[in-house]
């Protein structure tokens, strides 16, 4: 029987393969185009603390965006998969001197250090890596439930903004009760807010 969970699994497989299939040149131009949209947005909203990610598995590379934040004195943080607490993320300060190590999924993340942690409540904007998205603010992530669980079980005021390649647009994303909606999405073709 097809369930939202099994449908999500099949969609994840499809959209992860699509983004991994982009050439290095397509990835580079996607990242360049994204930077121009985000730079305009940063000028407008002047965020205090931005959460990002380090691209993996064909995700669009936002390293230039994080570097731009540093130039503008905007604090940047990265998620850390909490090894002691299933499905929870914590957030650690990230700058050019941050020591990284690979997490359990092979994604680089800051070495856990109590002093470097930034409370979720202090984050103004979270750039969420997506596997697929629709234009109503629904998203499909990697399936760990990390962002959904963290954002639904801890108080926060962060604006949730997805980041994806245009080819990750999918109008039939199954919606489950715990899915936390996005306020907007950046793709190389622009910014949409919902
Ligand atoms: N770059 C990046 N960083 C991120 C995320 C992300 O999606 N992208 N996350 C967003 O949540 C968190 C990590 N969540 C992840 C959840 C599952 C898998 C993953 O590869 N799952 C395997 C199955 C692993 C297993 O259970 O054995 C797979 O689907 O193949 C990766 C990251 C935090 N950091
Ligand atoms: N708020 C929550 N409370 C309890 N379980 C949850 C919650 N959110 C997600 N889960 C669990 O996590 C699993 C993965 O959720 P889902 O398929 O929505 O992941 P995702 O949105 O792709 O992942 P992510 O949030 O990491 O980007 C679900 O099967 C569900 O069991």
């Amino acid at each position: 029987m097809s369930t939202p969970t099994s449908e999500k699994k099949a969609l994840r497989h499809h959209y992860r393969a699509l983004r991994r299939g982009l050439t290095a040149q397509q990835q580079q131009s996607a990242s360049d185009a994204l930077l121009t949209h985000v730079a305009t947005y940063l000028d407008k909203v002047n965020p205090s603390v931005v959460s990002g990610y380090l691209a993996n598995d064909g995700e669009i590379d936002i390293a230039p965006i994080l570097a731009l934040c540093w130039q503008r004195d905007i604090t940047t943080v990265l998620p850390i998969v909490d090894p002691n607490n299933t499905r929870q993320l914590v957030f650690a300060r990230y700058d050019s001197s941050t020591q990284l190590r690979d997490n359990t999924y092979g994604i680089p993340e800051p070495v856990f250090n109590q002093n470097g942690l930034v409370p979720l409540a202090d984050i103004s904007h979270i750039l969420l890596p997506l596997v697929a998205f629709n234009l109503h603010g629904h998203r499909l992530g990697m399936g760990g439930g990390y962002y959904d669980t963290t954002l639904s079980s801890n108080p926060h005021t962060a604006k949730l903004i997805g980041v994806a390649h245009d080819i990750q647009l999918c109008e039939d994303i199954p919606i489950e009760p715990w899915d936390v909606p996005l306020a907007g999405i950046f793709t190389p073709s622009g910014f949409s807010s919902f």
Side-chain angles (χ1 to χ4, degrees), residues 8 12 87 139 141-149 152 178-179:
K8 278 184 167 182
R12 235 173 239 123
R87 300 196 200 282
R139 68 180 186 94
M142 287 294 279
Y146 284 101
Y147 280 102
D148 284 329
T149 311
S152 62
W178 55 78
D179 288 325

Side-chain angles (χ1 to χ4, degrees), residues 12-33:
R12 235 173 239 123
H13 185 76
H14 175 75
Y15 284 95
R16 285 182 61 182
L18 268 190
R19 71 183 186 186
R20 276 198 305 267
L22 294 170
T23 64
Q25 200 183 351
Q26 287 170 321
Q27 284 285 359
Q28 181 66 55
S29 42
S31 179
D32 292 347

Side-chain angles (χ1 to χ4, degrees), residues 78-136:
L78 290 176
I80 298 186
V81 174
D82 189 337
N84 304 312
N85 193 344
T86 46
R87 300 196 200 282
Q88 289 280 339
L89 297 171
V90 292
F91 296 87
R93 197 174 289 276
Y94 175 55
D95 60 33
S96 57
S97 65
T98 302
Q99 206 190 332
L100 301 171
R101 52 149 226 154
D102 283 356
N103 67 19
T104 162
Y105 302 112
I107 305 174
E109 64 179 28
V111 171
F112 184 92
N113 165 1
Q114 202 69 44
N115 299 329
L117 296 185
V118 172
L120 174 62
D122 290 357
I123 301 176
S124 59
H125 292 76
I126 300 182
L127 299 177
L128 286 88
L130 307 182
V131 172
F133 67 96
N134 67 19
L135 294 175
H136 310 286

